[in-house]
Amino acid sequence: MPYDPSEYPPFAVTVDLVVLTVRQHALCALTVRRGEEPFRGQWALPGGFVRADEDLATAAARELAEETGLLAHDSGSRHAGAHLEQLATYGDPSRDPRMRVVSVAYLVLAPDLPAPTAGGDAGGAQWAPVGRLLGTGGPAGERLAFDHATILADGVERARSKIEYSSLAAAFCPVEFTVGELRRVYEAVWGVPLDPRNFHRKVTGTPGFLVPVGGTTTRQGGRPAQLFRAGGASALNPPMLRPEG
Amino acid sequence: MPYDPSEYPPFAVTVDLVVLTVRQHALCALTVRRGEEPFRGQWALPGGFVRADEDLATAAARELAEETGLLAHDSGSRHAGAHLEQLATYGDPSRDPRMRVVSVAYLVLAPDLPAPTAGGDAGGAQWAPVGRLLGTGGPAGERLAFDHATILADGVERARSKIEYSSLAAAFCPVEFTVGELRRVYEAVWGVPLDPRNFHRKVTGTPGFLVPVGGTTTRQGGRPAQLFRAGGASALNPPMLRPEG
DNA sequence: ATAATAGTGTCTCTCAGACACTATGAG
DNA sequence: CTCATAGTGTCTGAGAGACACTATTAT
């Protein structure tokens, strides 16, 4: 295992972000318009180079803040930050036509945001339903640049399976939310309808999963609903079962 | 996003392997003795540099073959290969004192092997119980080099949770195995005893999980046990429940 | 015989899935 | 009033956990 710098091939290392949110009953991903070749004009996942003295997660959080203004927290904390976790790493030698690039993808789950603040160097940014981006449920329209469709698909699958056995779905909600809003998150992420009564019984019956915060709201119409915060229990046991699994 | 080579910082990219197996009722990991500084003489996870035109998974499979002679299969196939999957990527700027190294860790689940064939450039190789390597259940003896204790802990946790809802535990067994042998794998990986009757009912009652292969064996003593192969069903639903979870 | 493991059966309790039903707001 | 959503109750069937019991080998 020699470490002579001339002995190892040099790589560029980037982070790519799969930023997911739920908007109008649909799971959406943040995409940016590429301003340069290759894939100029196509949509891509936000991302960028890791700096020389920067940790991978730090680079991901920095890119997230540049693109959306969101503050990420790795885990724990209660303020209105987004959930950020490492997804996977993609390093096929031909994934970038110009050079050898290894990309560490991060998954971000964010509450519904007003509008992408196309900050930084990206030409434009928009939320797009993942069904359209992945060609499942709509015209197989604009494909994502590079291998970003694969990365996005992996991120969506991770999100779908993780909300089964964790309280991560609350990351898609504002700080205070109702049981019905949380249920609509599950329905959007899984793409299936859930029984409101059984869902209510399940989430309110799991100790530590939801913490009542006192108030009520009628922002969904109908009878006023209690407001909750996400509880400390991050594990959901037994898990919420995804129908037709 | 400029791609001028002088604009991006160069990284070295390596793969590190968490190779797990079950030996004598204990979950064990493959470790190699470091022959160079830093951490000379300490145990470390096997691994090495990714070559210039090599995919990450290919590099992991190559290192695995060099260290153990095992052939990995990404998924599918039925022959006596080991299971290999990407685990996570570690890139703290200070994780290697000499240079900026990003390491993509892979998890390998292998059946019990005769003995590590300390091939390649590693000075020596051995199977060590993960409890001893991680300091939980024994003297906090020789710590692993670099951040390899963290990587190993992540790999063990991945293996523990994955056998809950998949047929991956069979990757620790020879091609043909008995229900009792499979149960002892679960007990070793989770570190808890399981009820033999309930376990038998669960795994034989799940369609496609086990395929009877016809013969019997008494290699465990007692009444002869039927031999099975792993079935095509990779998902286990509902999952096997880990006690005291 | 004993000791070991393999395999089946049976009971209970929890819980998911399927409802019906009531409660409280907006229009 | 109607319509929407919130929240509770009730039944049923699947299955996990906790056993007892029988079967088949080695010694």
Side-chain angles (χ1 to χ4, degrees), chain B residues 169-215:
Chain B
F172 287 115
C173 296
V175 183
E176 298 186 352
F177 54 90
T178 71
V179 172
E181 289 165 347
L182 185 64
R183 174 172 50 81
R184 276 177 277 275
V185 164
Y186 275 91
E187 292 176 332
V189 175
W190 285 345
V192 295
L194 298 176
D195 186 291
R197 294 96 64 159
N198 294 335
F199 183 88
H200 191 282
R201 177 157 46 83
K202 173 78 175 175
V203 296
T204 57
T206 302
F209 190 67
L210 293 182
V211 177
V213 80

mmCIF file of all heavy atoms in Angstrom, chain B residues 169-215:
data_model
loop_
_atom_site.group_PDB
_atom_site.id
_atom_site.type_symbol
_atom_site.label_atom_id
_atom_site.label_comp_id
_atom_site.label_asym_id
_atom_site.label_seq_id
_atom_site.Cartn_x
_atom_site.Cartn_y
_atom_site.Cartn_z
ATOM 1 N N ALA B 169 -29.278 -13.450 5.620
ATOM 2 C CA ALA B 169 -28.570 -14.303 6.580
ATOM 3 C C ALA B 169 -28.043 -15.557 5.899
ATOM 4 O O ALA B 169 -27.031 -16.123 6.323
ATOM 5 C CB ALA B 169 -29.488 -14.661 7.744
ATOM 6 N N ALA B 170 -28.708 -15.984 4.829
ATOM 7 C CA ALA B 170 -28.242 -17.167 4.108
ATOM 8 C C ALA B 170 -26.872 -16.946 3.481
ATOM 9 O O ALA B 170 -26.165 -17.915 3.169
ATOM 10 C CB ALA B 170 -29.263 -17.562 3.036
ATOM 11 N N ALA B 171 -26.473 -15.691 3.290
ATOM 12 C CA ALA B 171 -25.149 -15.419 2.745
ATOM 13 C C ALA B 171 -24.047 -15.859 3.692
ATOM 14 O O ALA B 171 -22.904 -16.042 3.289
ATOM 15 C CB ALA B 171 -25.009 -13.924 2.428
ATOM 16 N N PHE B 172 -24.377 -16.033 4.969
ATOM 17 C CA PHE B 172 -23.401 -16.518 5.951
ATOM 18 C C PHE B 172 -23.312 -18.043 5.950
ATOM 19 O O PHE B 172 -22.445 -18.610 6.624
ATOM 20 C CB PHE B 172 -23.786 -16.051 7.357
ATOM 21 C CG PHE B 172 -23.559 -14.592 7.631
ATOM 22 C CD1 PHE B 172 -24.606 -13.741 7.882
ATOM 23 C CD2 PHE B 172 -22.271 -14.078 7.645
ATOM 24 C CE1 PHE B 172 -24.397 -12.399 8.152
ATOM 25 C CE2 PHE B 172 -22.050 -12.740 7.911
ATOM 26 C CZ PHE B 172 -23.115 -11.899 8.164
ATOM 27 N N CYS B 173 -24.218 -18.699 5.247
ATOM 28 C CA CYS B 173 -24.276 -20.157 5.279
ATOM 29 C C CYS B 173 -23.678 -20.742 4.009
ATOM 30 O O CYS B 173 -23.571 -20.062 2.988
ATOM 31 C CB CYS B 173 -25.740 -20.615 5.389
ATOM 32 S SG CYS B 173 -26.551 -20.127 6.920
ATOM 33 N N PRO B 174 -23.275 -22.029 4.066
ATOM 34 C CA PRO B 174 -22.910 -22.707 2.819
ATOM 35 C C PRO B 174 -24.135 -22.806 1.908
ATOM 36 O O PRO B 174 -25.247 -22.447 2.307
ATOM 37 C CB PRO B 174 -22.434 -24.075 3.285
ATOM 38 C CG PRO B 174 -22.988 -24.246 4.664
ATOM 39 C CD PRO B 174 -23.108 -22.874 5.232
ATOM 40 N N VAL B 175 -23.909 -23.272 0.692
ATOM 41 C CA VAL B 175 -24.994 -23.275 -0.293
ATOM 42 C C VAL B 175 -26.190 -24.043 0.237
ATOM 43 O O VAL B 175 -27.336 -23.617 0.089
ATOM 44 C CB VAL B 175 -24.501 -23.881 -1.625
ATOM 45 C CG1 VAL B 175 -25.611 -23.815 -2.666
ATOM 46 C CG2 VAL B 175 -23.278 -23.157 -2.100
ATOM 47 N N GLU B 176 -25.932 -25.218 0.839
ATOM 48 C CA GLU B 176 -27.022 -25.975 1.446
ATOM 49 C C GLU B 176 -26.854 -25.930 2.956
ATOM 50 O O GLU B 176 -25.760 -26.137 3.473
ATOM 51 C CB GLU B 176 -26.999 -27.428 0.945
ATOM 52 C CG GLU B 176 -27.212 -27.532 -0.560
ATOM 53 C CD GLU B 176 -27.324 -28.979 -1.026
ATOM 54 O OE1 GLU B 176 -27.092 -29.885 -0.201
ATOM 55 O OE2 GLU B 176 -27.644 -29.192 -2.203
ATOM 56 N N PHE B 177 -27.941 -25.682 3.626
ATOM 57 C CA PHE B 177 -27.873 -25.497 5.073
ATOM 58 C C PHE B 177 -29.188 -25.953 5.689
ATOM 59 O O PHE B 177 -30.185 -26.156 4.994
ATOM 60 C CB PHE B 177 -27.603 -24.023 5.412
ATOM 61 C CG PHE B 177 -28.587 -23.071 4.792
ATOM 62 C CD1 PHE B 177 -29.742 -22.726 5.460
ATOM 63 C CD2 PHE B 177 -28.360 -22.537 3.527
ATOM 64 C CE1 PHE B 177 -30.661 -21.863 4.896
ATOM 65 C CE2 PHE B 177 -29.281 -21.663 2.946
ATOM 66 C CZ PHE B 177 -30.432 -21.334 3.632
ATOM 67 N N THR B 178 -29.162 -26.089 7.010
ATOM 68 C CA THR B 178 -30.367 -26.500 7.736
ATOM 69 C C THR B 178 -30.988 -25.297 8.424
ATOM 70 O O THR B 178 -30.359 -24.232 8.563
ATOM 71 C CB THR B 178 -30.036 -27.558 8.798
ATOM 72 O OG1 THR B 178 -29.302 -26.943 9.856
ATOM 73 C CG2 THR B 178 -29.201 -28.689 8.208
ATOM 74 N N VAL B 179 -32.219 -25.479 8.876
ATOM 75 C CA VAL B 179 -32.910 -24.402 9.586
ATOM 76 C C VAL B 179 -32.149 -24.050 10.860
ATOM 77 O O VAL B 179 -32.019 -22.875 11.219
ATOM 78 C CB VAL B 179 -34.359 -24.825 9.908
ATOM 79 C CG1 VAL B 179 -35.034 -23.811 10.810
ATOM 80 C CG2 VAL B 179 -35.146 -25.000 8.621
ATOM 81 N N GLY B 180 -31.617 -25.062 11.519
ATOM 82 C CA GLY B 180 -30.869 -24.806 12.747
ATOM 83 C C GLY B 180 -29.606 -24.002 12.492
ATOM 84 O O GLY B 180 -29.261 -23.116 13.274
ATOM 85 N N GLU B 181 -28.928 -24.305 11.389
ATOM 86 C CA GLU B 181 -27.729 -23.527 11.071
ATOM 87 C C GLU B 181 -28.077 -22.079 10.776
ATOM 88 O O GLU B 181 -27.369 -21.154 11.202
ATOM 89 C CB GLU B 181 -27.001 -24.163 9.876
ATOM 90 C CG GLU B 181 -26.344 -25.490 10.234
ATOM 91 C CD GLU B 181 -25.925 -26.303 9.023
ATOM 92 O OE1 GLU B 181 -26.356 -25.975 7.895
ATOM 93 O OE2 GLU B 181 -25.181 -27.284 9.197
ATOM 94 N N LEU B 182 -29.173 -21.879 10.055
ATOM 95 C CA LEU B 182 -29.601 -20.511 9.771
ATOM 96 C C LEU B 182 -29.967 -19.776 11.058
ATOM 97 O O LEU B 182 -29.641 -18.602 11.238
ATOM 98 C CB LEU B 182 -30.799 -20.529 8.816
ATOM 99 C CG LEU B 182 -31.299 -19.160 8.333
ATOM 100 C CD1 LEU B 182 -30.225 -18.466 7.501
ATOM 101 C CD2 LEU B 182 -32.582 -19.292 7.525
ATOM 102 N N ARG B 183 -30.613 -20.487 11.968
ATOM 103 C CA ARG B 183 -30.960 -19.863 13.247
ATOM 104 C C ARG B 183 -29.717 -19.474 14.031
ATOM 105 O O ARG B 183 -29.652 -18.399 14.625
ATOM 106 C CB ARG B 183 -31.830 -20.811 14.072
ATOM 107 C CG ARG B 183 -32.119 -20.301 15.484
ATOM 108 C CD ARG B 183 -33.142 -21.151 16.204
ATOM 109 N NE ARG B 183 -32.821 -22.568 16.153
ATOM 110 C CZ ARG B 183 -31.943 -23.158 16.949
ATOM 111 N NH1 ARG B 183 -31.295 -22.465 17.858
ATOM 112 N NH2 ARG B 183 -31.700 -24.443 16.836
ATOM 113 N N ARG B 184 -28.706 -20.334 14.006
ATOM 114 C CA ARG B 184 -27.481 -19.989 14.728
ATOM 115 C C ARG B 184 -26.796 -18.768 14.125
ATOM 116 O O ARG B 184 -26.100 -18.018 14.836
ATOM 117 C CB ARG B 184 -26.539 -21.195 14.761
ATOM 118 C CG ARG B 184 -26.863 -22.157 15.908
ATOM 119 C CD ARG B 184 -25.978 -23.383 15.904
ATOM 120 N NE ARG B 184 -26.469 -24.395 14.978
ATOM 121 C CZ ARG B 184 -27.399 -25.295 15.290
ATOM 122 N NH1 ARG B 184 -27.925 -25.316 16.491
ATOM 123 N NH2 ARG B 184 -27.814 -26.170 14.397
ATOM 124 N N VAL B 185 -26.990 -18.538 12.830
ATOM 125 C CA VAL B 185 -26.477 -17.307 12.228
ATOM 126 C C VAL B 185 -27.179 -16.092 12.826
ATOM 127 O O VAL B 185 -26.526 -15.134 13.262
ATOM 128 C CB VAL B 185 -26.659 -17.342 10.694
ATOM 129 C CG1 VAL B 185 -26.495 -15.947 10.104
ATOM 130 C CG2 VAL B 185 -25.661 -18.296 10.073
ATOM 131 N N TYR B 186 -28.503 -16.144 12.873
ATOM 132 C CA TYR B 186 -29.240 -15.027 13.470
ATOM 133 C C TYR B 186 -28.799 -14.803 14.914
ATOM 134 O O TYR B 186 -28.611 -13.661 15.357
ATOM 135 C CB TYR B 186 -30.751 -15.299 13.420
ATOM 136 C CG TYR B 186 -31.402 -14.903 12.123
ATOM 137 C CD1 TYR B 186 -31.515 -15.798 11.071
ATOM 138 C CD2 TYR B 186 -31.902 -13.628 11.939
ATOM 139 C CE1 TYR B 186 -32.116 -15.438 9.882
ATOM 140 C CE2 TYR B 186 -32.508 -13.256 10.745
ATOM 141 C CZ TYR B 186 -32.617 -14.160 9.727
ATOM 142 O OH TYR B 186 -33.198 -13.783 8.555
ATOM 143 N N GLU B 187 -28.638 -15.889 15.650
ATOM 144 C CA GLU B 187 -28.257 -15.739 17.056
ATOM 145 C C GLU B 187 -26.872 -15.120 17.198
ATOM 146 O O GLU B 187 -26.634 -14.294 18.088
ATOM 147 C CB GLU B 187 -28.306 -17.107 17.753
ATOM 148 C CG GLU B 187 -29.723 -17.649 17.885
ATOM 149 C CD GLU B 187 -29.780 -19.043 18.483
ATOM 150 O OE1 GLU B 187 -28.807 -19.814 18.319
ATOM 151 O OE2 GLU B 187 -30.797 -19.377 19.094
ATOM 152 N N ALA B 188 -25.962 -15.490 16.289
ATOM 153 C CA ALA B 188 -24.611 -14.941 16.383
ATOM 154 C C ALA B 188 -24.593 -13.469 15.980
ATOM 155 O O ALA B 188 -23.929 -12.648 16.609
ATOM 156 C CB ALA B 188 -23.646 -15.744 15.502
ATOM 157 N N VAL B 189 -25.321 -13.124 14.928
ATOM 158 C CA VAL B 189 -25.301 -11.742 14.447
ATOM 159 C C VAL B 189 -26.001 -10.821 15.443
ATOM 160 O O VAL B 189 -25.535 -9.725 15.726
ATOM 161 C CB VAL B 189 -25.950 -11.643 13.054
ATOM 162 C CG1 VAL B 189 -26.049 -10.195 12.602
ATOM 163 C CG2 VAL B 189 -25.154 -12.454 12.050
ATOM 164 N N TRP B 190 -27.113 -11.272 15.991
ATOM 165 C CA TRP B 190 -27.857 -10.428 16.926
ATOM 166 C C TRP B 190 -27.370 -10.581 18.355
ATOM 167 O O TRP B 190 -27.645 -9.729 19.206
ATOM 168 C CB TRP B 190 -29.349 -10.767 16.856
ATOM 169 C CG TRP B 190 -30.025 -10.230 15.632
ATOM 170 C CD1 TRP B 190 -29.538 -9.273 14.785
ATOM 171 C CD2 TRP B 190 -31.312 -10.590 15.125
ATOM 172 N NE1 TRP B 190 -30.445 -9.031 13.782
ATOM 173 C CE2 TRP B 190 -31.540 -9.814 13.966
ATOM 174 C CE3 TRP B 190 -32.294 -11.479 15.528
ATOM 175 C CZ2 TRP B 190 -32.711 -9.918 13.219
ATOM 176 C CZ3 TRP B 190 -33.453 -11.572 14.790
ATOM 177 C CH2 TRP B 190 -33.658 -10.798 13.644
ATOM 178 N N GLY B 191 -26.690 -11.671 18.636
ATOM 179 C CA GLY B 191 -26.207 -11.875 19.996
ATOM 180 C C GLY B 191 -27.303 -12.243 20.980
ATOM 181 O O GLY B 191 -27.158 -12.000 22.185
ATOM 182 N N VAL B 192 -28.401 -12.800 20.504
ATOM 183 C CA VAL B 192 -29.487 -13.209 21.399
ATOM 184 C C VAL B 192 -29.931 -14.614 21.006
ATOM 185 O O VAL B 192 -29.808 -15.016 19.850
ATOM 186 C CB VAL B 192 -30.691 -12.255 21.295
ATOM 187 C CG1 VAL B 192 -30.330 -10.866 21.783
ATOM 188 C CG2 VAL B 192 -31.213 -12.213 19.873
ATOM 189 N N PRO B 193 -30.458 -15.392 21.983
ATOM 190 C CA PRO B 193 -31.000 -16.702 21.628
ATOM 191 C C PRO B 193 -32.394 -16.560 21.042
ATOM 192 O O PRO B 193 -33.146 -15.660 21.411
ATOM 193 C CB PRO B 193 -31.032 -17.438 22.973
ATOM 194 C CG PRO B 193 -31.178 -16.358 23.981
ATOM 195 C CD PRO B 193 -30.462 -15.155 23.422
ATOM 196 N N LEU B 194 -32.728 -17.427 20.117
ATOM 197 C CA LEU B 194 -34.057 -17.424 19.511
ATOM 198 C C LEU B 194 -34.734 -18.762 19.796
ATOM 199 O O LEU B 194 -34.078 -19.788 19.924
ATOM 200 C CB LEU B 194 -33.950 -17.203 17.995
ATOM 201 C CG LEU B 194 -33.341 -15.870 17.550
ATOM 202 C CD1 LEU B 194 -33.202 -15.821 16.035
ATOM 203 C CD2 LEU B 194 -34.184 -14.711 18.038
ATOM 204 N N ASP B 195 -36.046 -18.752 19.869
ATOM 205 C CA ASP B 195 -36.787 -19.987 20.095
ATOM 206 C C ASP B 195 -36.728 -20.837 18.834
ATOM 207 O O ASP B 195 -37.204 -20.409 17.776
ATOM 208 C CB ASP B 195 -38.237 -19.661 20.454
ATOM 209 C CG ASP B 195 -39.009 -20.910 20.831
ATOM 210 O OD1 ASP B 195 -39.255 -21.743 19.938
ATOM 211 O OD2 ASP B 195 -39.345 -21.064 22.010
ATOM 212 N N PRO B 196 -36.176 -22.067 18.946
ATOM 213 C CA PRO B 196 -36.015 -22.889 17.729
ATOM 214 C C PRO B 196 -37.336 -23.216 17.050
ATOM 215 O O PRO B 196 -37.400 -23.269 15.826
ATOM 216 C CB PRO B 196 -35.337 -24.161 18.254
ATOM 217 C CG PRO B 196 -34.717 -23.771 19.543
ATOM 218 C CD PRO B 196 -35.618 -22.719 20.127
ATOM 219 N N ARG B 197 -38.388 -23.449 17.816
ATOM 220 C CA ARG B 197 -39.672 -23.827 17.205
ATOM 221 C C ARG B 197 -40.297 -22.667 16.462
ATOM 222 O O ARG B 197 -40.758 -22.816 15.314
ATOM 223 C CB ARG B 197 -40.636 -24.335 18.294
ATOM 224 C CG ARG B 197 -40.204 -25.617 18.949
ATOM 225 C CD ARG B 197 -39.461 -25.369 20.221
ATOM 226 N NE ARG B 197 -40.302 -24.743 21.219
ATOM 227 C CZ ARG B 197 -40.081 -24.750 22.511
ATOM 228 N NH1 ARG B 197 -38.995 -25.351 22.973
ATOM 229 N NH2 ARG B 197 -40.875 -24.152 23.340
ATOM 230 N N ASN B 198 -40.332 -21.493 17.107
ATOM 231 C CA ASN B 198 -40.931 -20.350 16.431
ATOM 232 C C ASN B 198 -40.120 -19.940 15.212
ATOM 233 O O ASN B 198 -40.679 -19.556 14.182
ATOM 234 C CB ASN B 198 -41.061 -19.171 17.403
ATOM 235 C CG ASN B 198 -42.048 -19.460 18.508
ATOM 236 O OD1 ASN B 198 -42.950 -20.282 18.340
ATOM 237 N ND2 ASN B 198 -41.870 -18.813 19.643
ATOM 238 N N PHE B 199 -38.784 -20.038 15.335
ATOM 239 C CA PHE B 199 -37.941 -19.711 14.196
ATOM 240 C C PHE B 199 -38.220 -20.654 13.029
ATOM 241 O O PHE B 199 -38.348 -20.224 11.881
ATOM 242 C CB PHE B 199 -36.469 -19.788 14.601
ATOM 243 C CG PHE B 199 -35.523 -19.402 13.501
ATOM 244 C CD1 PHE B 199 -35.157 -18.078 13.319
ATOM 245 C CD2 PHE B 199 -34.997 -20.359 12.645
ATOM 246 C CE1 PHE B 199 -34.291 -17.710 12.303
ATOM 247 C CE2 PHE B 199 -34.134 -20.006 11.629
ATOM 248 C CZ PHE B 199 -33.772 -18.680 11.460
ATOM 249 N N HIS B 200 -38.326 -21.919 13.344
ATOM 250 C CA HIS B 200 -38.596 -22.904 12.298
ATOM 251 C C HIS B 200 -39.918 -22.610 11.599
ATOM 252 O O HIS B 200 -40.016 -22.621 10.366
ATOM 253 C CB HIS B 200 -38.630 -24.307 12.920
ATOM 254 C CG HIS B 200 -38.646 -25.405 11.918
ATOM 255 N ND1 HIS B 200 -39.770 -25.771 11.229
ATOM 256 C CD2 HIS B 200 -37.660 -26.209 11.460
ATOM 257 C CE1 HIS B 200 -39.482 -26.761 10.409
ATOM 258 N NE2 HIS B 200 -38.214 -27.042 10.530
ATOM 259 N N ARG B 201 -40.937 -22.320 12.402
ATOM 260 C CA ARG B 201 -42.254 -22.030 11.821
ATOM 261 C C ARG B 201 -42.190 -20.787 10.941
ATOM 262 O O ARG B 201 -42.743 -20.767 9.837
ATOM 263 C CB ARG B 201 -43.261 -21.841 12.968
ATOM 264 C CG ARG B 201 -44.632 -21.463 12.553
ATOM 265 C CD ARG B 201 -45.672 -21.822 13.597
ATOM 266 N NE ARG B 201 -45.295 -21.443 14.954
ATOM 267 C CZ ARG B 201 -45.450 -20.227 15.473
ATOM 268 N NH1 ARG B 201 -45.960 -19.286 14.727
ATOM 269 N NH2 ARG B 201 -45.107 -19.988 16.704
ATOM 270 N N LYS B 202 -41.459 -19.766 11.404
ATOM 271 C CA LYS B 202 -41.385 -18.517 10.642
ATOM 272 C C LYS B 202 -40.692 -18.706 9.289
ATOM 273 O O LYS B 202 -41.215 -18.312 8.253
ATOM 274 C CB LYS B 202 -40.647 -17.472 11.473
ATOM 275 C CG LYS B 202 -40.342 -16.180 10.746
ATOM 276 C CD LYS B 202 -41.541 -15.292 10.638
ATOM 277 C CE LYS B 202 -41.180 -13.953 10.010
ATOM 278 N NZ LYS B 202 -42.373 -13.124 9.783
ATOM 279 N N VAL B 203 -39.519 -19.311 9.292
ATOM 280 C CA VAL B 203 -38.764 -19.353 8.032
ATOM 281 C C VAL B 203 -39.334 -20.389 7.068
ATOM 282 O O VAL B 203 -39.306 -20.174 5.851
ATOM 283 C CB VAL B 203 -37.264 -19.621 8.274
ATOM 284 C CG1 VAL B 203 -36.638 -18.480 9.055
ATOM 285 C CG2 VAL B 203 -37.031 -20.946 8.950
ATOM 286 N N THR B 204 -39.857 -21.499 7.579
ATOM 287 C CA THR B 204 -40.435 -22.466 6.639
ATOM 288 C C THR B 204 -41.822 -22.040 6.182
ATOM 289 O O THR B 204 -42.300 -22.496 5.144
ATOM 290 C CB THR B 204 -40.521 -23.866 7.276
ATOM 291 O OG1 THR B 204 -41.285 -23.789 8.483
ATOM 292 C CG2 THR B 204 -39.136 -24.406 7.572
ATOM 293 N N GLY B 205 -42.455 -21.155 6.929
ATOM 294 C CA GLY B 205 -43.793 -20.727 6.561
ATOM 295 C C GLY B 205 -43.816 -19.554 5.597
ATOM 296 O O GLY B 205 -44.871 -19.207 5.084
ATOM 297 N N THR B 206 -42.673 -18.947 5.359
ATOM 298 C CA THR B 206 -42.619 -17.825 4.427
ATOM 299 C C THR B 206 -42.357 -18.356 3.023
ATOM 300 O O THR B 206 -41.294 -18.915 2.755
ATOM 301 C CB THR B 206 -41.495 -16.851 4.833
ATOM 302 O OG1 THR B 206 -41.732 -16.389 6.162
ATOM 303 C CG2 THR B 206 -41.454 -15.672 3.875
ATOM 304 N N PRO B 207 -43.315 -18.195 2.093
ATOM 305 C CA PRO B 207 -43.150 -18.781 0.760
ATOM 306 C C PRO B 207 -41.938 -18.193 0.031
ATOM 307 O O PRO B 207 -41.713 -16.995 0.034
ATOM 308 C CB PRO B 207 -44.452 -18.387 0.034
ATOM 309 C CG PRO B 207 -45.400 -17.951 1.107
ATOM 310 C CD PRO B 207 -44.561 -17.452 2.237
ATOM 311 N N GLY B 208 -41.142 -19.071 -0.571
ATOM 312 C CA GLY B 208 -40.017 -18.621 -1.371
ATOM 313 C C GLY B 208 -38.769 -18.284 -0.590
ATOM 314 O O GLY B 208 -37.741 -17.938 -1.164
ATOM 315 N N PHE B 209 -38.868 -18.358 0.740
ATOM 316 C CA PHE B 209 -37.702 -17.993 1.554
ATOM 317 C C PHE B 209 -36.683 -19.130 1.557
ATOM 318 O O PHE B 209 -35.487 -18.915 1.353
ATOM 319 C CB PHE B 209 -38.167 -17.666 2.969
ATOM 320 C CG PHE B 209 -37.101 -17.043 3.832
ATOM 321 C CD1 PHE B 209 -36.612 -15.793 3.551
ATOM 322 C CD2 PHE B 209 -36.609 -17.721 4.930
ATOM 323 C CE1 PHE B 209 -35.645 -15.216 4.347
ATOM 324 C CE2 PHE B 209 -35.634 -17.147 5.731
ATOM 325 C CZ PHE B 209 -35.155 -15.891 5.436
ATOM 326 N N LEU B 210 -37.144 -20.336 1.773
ATOM 327 C CA LEU B 210 -36.270 -21.517 1.762
ATOM 328 C C LEU B 210 -36.788 -22.507 0.721
ATOM 329 O O LEU B 210 -38.003 -22.694 0.574
ATOM 330 C CB LEU B 210 -36.258 -22.192 3.139
ATOM 331 C CG LEU B 210 -35.622 -21.408 4.278
ATOM 332 C CD1 LEU B 210 -35.652 -22.225 5.560
ATOM 333 C CD2 LEU B 210 -34.197 -21.018 3.933
ATOM 334 N N VAL B 211 -35.852 -23.153 0.027
ATOM 335 C CA VAL B 211 -36.219 -24.169 -0.957
ATOM 336 C C VAL B 211 -35.649 -25.501 -0.488
ATOM 337 O O VAL B 211 -34.423 -25.641 -0.379
ATOM 338 C CB VAL B 211 -35.655 -23.824 -2.352
ATOM 339 C CG1 VAL B 211 -35.995 -24.925 -3.342
ATOM 340 C CG2 VAL B 211 -36.208 -22.489 -2.815
ATOM 341 N N PRO B 212 -36.480 -26.484 -0.187
ATOM 342 C CA PRO B 212 -35.946 -27.783 0.237
ATOM 343 C C PRO B 212 -35.170 -28.416 -0.906
ATOM 344 O O PRO B 212 -35.570 -28.368 -2.063
ATOM 345 C CB PRO B 212 -37.193 -28.589 0.595
ATOM 346 C CG PRO B 212 -38.312 -27.911 -0.093
ATOM 347 C CD PRO B 212 -37.945 -26.461 -0.227
ATOM 348 N N VAL B 213 -34.036 -29.002 -0.559
ATOM 349 C CA VAL B 213 -33.143 -29.504 -1.602
ATOM 350 C C VAL B 213 -33.098 -31.027 -1.550
ATOM 351 O O VAL B 213 -32.484 -31.670 -2.398
ATOM 352 C CB VAL B 213 -31.756 -28.860 -1.438
ATOM 353 C CG1 VAL B 213 -30.965 -29.561 -0.347
ATOM 354 C CG2 VAL B 213 -31.002 -28.812 -2.752
ATOM 355 N N GLY B 214 -33.768 -31.618 -0.583
ATOM 356 C CA GLY B 214 -33.972 -33.063 -0.623
ATOM 357 C C GLY B 214 -33.222 -33.859 0.414
ATOM 358 O O GLY B 214 -33.775 -34.743 1.036
ATOM 359 N N GLY B 215 -31.979 -33.554 0.654
ATOM 360 C CA GLY B 215 -31.185 -34.388 1.537
ATOM 361 C C GLY B 215 -31.351 -34.021 3.003
ATOM 362 O O GLY B 215 -32.098 -33.118 3.376
#
